């Protein structure tokens, strides 16, 4: 059982992520043809201009108006994406499978980054229940998404530090990682895939057609 | 949902029309719009929105209602499209009325929120889809629908007949001749450099503005003309009611007038929504990136006249003046810098607003909301207290609004919040500030 979860199931999750994401992006590209204006409006220059302003912390007006959220969001996303990629144990697994490896995070740093994901997730959660604007548009699925995103980090941390029985926790860790990867193309976590496209389109529309900025 | 008082607004365009709806009809129309008329944008926007609420910071309705979540951009989508999609179009007539109220009177499709959402989700587009559904169901605020009906019948927004139109132009031509020797409003002059077009309300209520432009054109010595026939009205209320078919027809009629007159370009009066219709959203609806005839807004036209010395400023406007950046020309087409150039050229004491340029607050009128009529006025004005505060902070006594809707919308705001300011079009201060060459003096 553990063999299956730690082996084929993980590959299946990656396959679902990659094939699913490709499916979603390709079907969007086809659908965009029906939206007659999308392709004519697209402009590389203005897409990049917009993306840069939204990838750099505090480059946009709203990021400056809501500085706490900006810090939390950037901390959450950077740690969420970088920690699993540069984590030593993950690298060892990849090395065993493919014989390749890359730079890894020092142990202490990885711990801190994991905790940042957990803490920022809690802040998101807190915001969801306290801010009237956010609360109003929150449905159960939003909590589920947040849980899907945070679970691999919580379980990973607990497993690594042997706080709870290692075997159980590491199975839970792998399972939650699998769920997260497989959920990306099919839930609102797909914002990861579409961010570049929606931003580019709005950047192009504002830049090329409206001669104004969109940040 | 709005305040209880707003819920009670009586509008036959909504109240009577929903009585004619059946659930099959509603479902049919919604399915048609969602499958045939919308594609990637709607789908991706709906799936990408992470419900983070960051867009609330953008919307003047939300800011003016103490961040009431029902007025946040995403909150308005929740109350309308989320429900429609979740229930796959199986919604009741009463729900369609709610949708119409929100989409027509609580969002002015100003697109400010697209600059505040990290994903650049176009909430205005989403609410225009809701308006489209309502329009196909015949549920549109009565005043707004009346302007669309007028467009459909007369090719102008205000039921102006052709003889009235020509009479008005002649009357304004004569008035201008009192000040400028041999001033003309040349009608149907083929091959002229410029065709000048206006919105229907100008001949109907604001004929003086036609006199102003005649004054400016004659002093600057421009080779211009106006059509005596359909196509002189550049406004497009169908763009806001969700009647895409009429919207396209109106834009074509306007473009065709320019083709018939074989002009090099169209200059349009101080109106924002008309500019949106003619320059970007209208052509967009027809699947074009740019309009078929080059078209510039009055702001740019005045800017060029002043910059090139065709009009000389001799007597600047006195007293503190501020300006409204109309969403449809500034956020919509980046004319904010030119607007400031002409303001500084003509005013002694120009006080800028904050926020400004594309971040300016919407007037709350020119996205079709003011056209929903007097019964919705109170909700519109209460939904824009931030505009009142912003204007008050400038300390100006006069505000220039180079847009008809901003003009009326801000006038209502000034009256309600007792700001003691006056609203003017730019042409009104320009004609008093510019030099009349000796040879043209009467
Ligand atoms: C490069 C890829 C990504 C980009 C550009 C991106 C961008 C964003 C943005 C702009 C927001 C909204 C602002 C906010 O709430 O902080 C957001 C929210 C969120 N993102 Fe991402 N994201 C990416 C990847 C991911 C991934 C891989 C996950 C998890 C699997 C994730 C999980 C979340 C969650 C859970 C929220 C909602 C927070 C809330 O509840 O308010 N994101 N993302
Ligand atoms: S009024 Fe403007 S800011 Fe508010 S929801 Fe509509 S488009 Fe967005
Ligand atoms: S800011 Fe964008 S993603 Fe966030 S709730 Fe508003 S529309 Fe959705």
């Amino acid at each position: 059982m553990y063999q299956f979860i730690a082996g084929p199931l993980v590959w299946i999750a990656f396959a679902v992520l990659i094939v699913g994401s490709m499916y979603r992006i390709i079907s969007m590209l086809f659908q965009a043809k029906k939206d007659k204006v999308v392709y004519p409006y697209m402009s590389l220059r203005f897409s990049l201009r917009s993306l840069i302003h939204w990838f750099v912390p505090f480059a946009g007006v709203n990021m400056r108006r809501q500085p706490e959220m900006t810090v939390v969001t950037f901390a959450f996303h950077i740690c969420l994406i970088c920690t699993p990629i540069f984590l030593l144990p993950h690298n060892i697994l990849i090395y065993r499978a493919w014989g390749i490896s890359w730079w890894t995070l020092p142990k202490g740093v990885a711990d801190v980054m994991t905790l940042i994901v957990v803490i920022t997730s809690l802040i998101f959660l807190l915001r969801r229940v306290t801010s009237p604007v956010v609360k109003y548009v929150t449905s159960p699925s939003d909590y589920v998404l947040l849980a899907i995103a945070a679970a691999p980090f919580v379980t990973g941390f607990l497993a690594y530090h042997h706080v709870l029985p290692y075997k159980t926790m590491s199975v839970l860790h792998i399972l939650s990682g699998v769920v997260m990867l497989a959920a990306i193309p099919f839930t609102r976590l797909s914002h990861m895939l579409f961010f570049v496209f929606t931003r580019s389109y709005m950047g192009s529309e504002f830049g090329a057609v409206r001669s104004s900025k969109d940040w | 949902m709005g305040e209880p008082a707003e819920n009670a607004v009586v509008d036959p365009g909504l109240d009577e029309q929903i009585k004619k709806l059946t659930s099959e009809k509603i479902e049919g129309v919604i399915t048609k719009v969602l499958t045939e008329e919308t594609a990637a944008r709607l789908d991706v926007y709906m799936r990408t929105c992470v419900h983070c609420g960051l867009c609330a910071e953008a919307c003047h309705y939300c800011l003016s209602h103490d961040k009431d979540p029902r007025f946040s951009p995403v909150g308005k989508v929740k109350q309308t499209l989320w429900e429609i999609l979740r229930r796959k179009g199986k919604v009741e007539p009463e729900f369609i009325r709610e949708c119409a109220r929100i989409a027509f009177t609580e969002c002015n499709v100003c697109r400010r929120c697209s600059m505040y959402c990290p994903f650049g989700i176009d909430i205005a587009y989403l609410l225009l889809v809701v308006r489209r559904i309502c329009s196909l169901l015949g549920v549109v605020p009565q005043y707004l629908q009346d302007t669309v009906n007028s467009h459909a019948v007369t090719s102008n927004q205000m039921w102006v007949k052709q003889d009235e139109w020509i009479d008005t132009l002649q009357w304004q031509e004569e008035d201008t001749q009192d000040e400028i020797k041999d001033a003309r409003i040349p009608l149907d002059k083929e091959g002229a450099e410029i065709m000048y077009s206006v919105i229907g309300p100008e001949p109907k209520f604001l004929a003086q503005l036609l006199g102003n432009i005649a004054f400016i054109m004659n002093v600057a010595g421009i080779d211009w003309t106006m059509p005596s026939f359909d196509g002189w009205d550049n406004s497009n209320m169908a763009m806001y009611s969700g009647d895409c078919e009429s919207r396209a027809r109106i834009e074509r009629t306007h473009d065709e007038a320019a083709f018939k007159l074989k002009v090099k370009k169209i200059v349009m009066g101080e109106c924002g929504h008309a500019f949106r219709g003619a320059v970007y959203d209208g052509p967009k609806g027809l699947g074009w990136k740019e309009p078929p005839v080059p078209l510039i807004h009055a702001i740019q036209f005045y800017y060029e006249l002043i910059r090139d010395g065709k009009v000389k400023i001799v007597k600047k406007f006195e007293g503190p003046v501020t300006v409204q950046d109309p969403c449809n020309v500034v956020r919509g087409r980046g004319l904010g810098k030119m607007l400031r150039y002409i303001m500084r050229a003509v005013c002694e004491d120009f006080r800028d607003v904050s926020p400004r340029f594309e971040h300016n607050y919407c007037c709350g009128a020119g996205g079709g909301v003011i056209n929903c009529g007097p019964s919705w006025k109170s909700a519109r004005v209460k939904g824009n207290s931030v505009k009142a505060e912003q204007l008050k902070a400038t300390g100006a006594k006069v505000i220039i609004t180079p847009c008809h809707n901003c003009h009326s919308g801000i006038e209502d705001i000034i009256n309600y919040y007792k700001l003691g300011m006056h609203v003017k079009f730019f042409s009104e201060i320009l004609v008093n500030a510019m030099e009349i060459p000796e040879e043209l003096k009467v």
Side-chain angles (χ1 to χ4, degrees), chain A residues 34-35 65 209 212-213, chain B residues 35 41 57 331 333 358:
Chain A
K34 256 181 79 186
D35 251 339
R65 288 189 75 94
V209 184
S212 43
K213 302 177 297 186
Chain B
T35 54
R41 279 185 298 160
E57 196 63 31
R331 187 171 314 113
R333 199 67 169 180
E358 51 272 86

Side-chain angles (χ1 to χ4, degrees), chain B residues 355-407:
Chain B
R356 58 192 193 136
F357 291 111
E358 51 272 86
H359 285 277
N360 183 42
Y361 295 127
C362 173
C363 65
V369 176
I370 196 168
N371 310 84
C372 295
S375 39
W376 301 100
K377 177 173 149 183
S378 152
R380 166 166 57 82
V381 175
K382 283 184 198 148
N384 211 351
S385 60
V386 287
K387 180 95 249 162
E389 286 155 27
Q390 179 204 28
L391 293 178
K392 200 169 173 190
T394 64
K397 287 278 165 282
V398 169
I399 165 159
I400 302 299
T401 55
C403 167
H404 277 279
N405 291 302
C406 293
H407 192 281

